[in-house]
C-alpha cells in the first residue's frame, strides 16, 4: 500500500464522489482513481465504498479504514501538522568556548 492510495481514499471519502474527488481535488482522471480505489480494496481485503449513481457511500470497513488512513497520512506526509516533540535543552551553552 502506498501513501497515494491513502490520499486518494481520504479524498474520495470526504468528497463523497469519485468524479468530484478526481477532478477538483486530485486533478486526475476518474477511471484511474476508480482503479486505484479498487486496488486498495483488493489489498485491504474488504470493500471500502459502495459505488452508486449519486456518489459513493462508505461501508463499515470503509469508515474504520478512513480513520486509520487519515492518521497514517498525517504521520507520514505532514509532520508539520503533528504535535511538536519537546527536545531536551542542550547541555552546552552556545556562548561557551
Amino acid at each position: 500500500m502506498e501513501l497515494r492510495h491513502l490520499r486518494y481514499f481520504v479524498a474520495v471519502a470526504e468528497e463523497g464522489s469519485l468524479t468530484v474527488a478526481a477532478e477538483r481535488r486530485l486533478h486526475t482522471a476518474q477511471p484511474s482513481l476508480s482503479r486505484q480505489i479498487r486496488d486498495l480494496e483488493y489489498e485491504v481485503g474488504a470493500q471500502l465504498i459502495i459505488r452508486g449513481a449519486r456518489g459513493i457511500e462508505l461501508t463499515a470497513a470503509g469508515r474504520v479504514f478512513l480513520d486509520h488512513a487519515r492518521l497514517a497520512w498525517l504521520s507520514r506526509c505532514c509532520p508539520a501538522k503533528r504535535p511538536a516533540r519537546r527536545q531536551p535543552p542542550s547541555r552546552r551553552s552556545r556562548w561557551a568556548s
Side-chain angles (χ1 to χ4, degrees):
M1 181 180 322
E2 297 178 25
L3 284 176
R4 67 184 162 92
H5 289 115
L6 300 179
R7 184 170 67 102
Y8 291 170
F9 177 73
V10 170
V12 169
E14 289 177 351
E15 295 296 336
S17 166
L18 285 160
T19 304
V20 172
E23 292 174 357
R24 294 185 188 162
R25 195 148 159 195
L26 299 170
H27 309 290
T28 189
Q30 183 273 328
S32 172
L33 177 59
S34 185
R35 178 64 189 186
Q36 295 295 322
I37 298 298
R38 283 189 198 278
D39 290 348
L40 177 63
E41 289 176 321
Y42 178 78
E43 191 169 341
V44 170
Q47 184 178 6
L48 301 174
I49 63 173
I50 299 170
R51 293 155 177 85
R54 299 229 178 229
I56 62 101
E57 182 180 334
L58 292 177
T59 63
R63 288 189 293 275
V64 171
F65 189 79
L66 178 59
D67 292 335
H68 292 286
R70 283 179 175 147
L71 288 174
W73 172 250
L74 286 176
S75 69
R76 297 275 177 111
C77 270
C78 308
K81 293 184 179 180
R82 290 184 295 180
R85 288 188 193 166
R86 197 141 215 223
Q87 297 294 329
S90 174
R91 290 183 174 213
R92 188 172 172 181
S93 168
R94 66 182 213 186
W95 302 110
S97 27

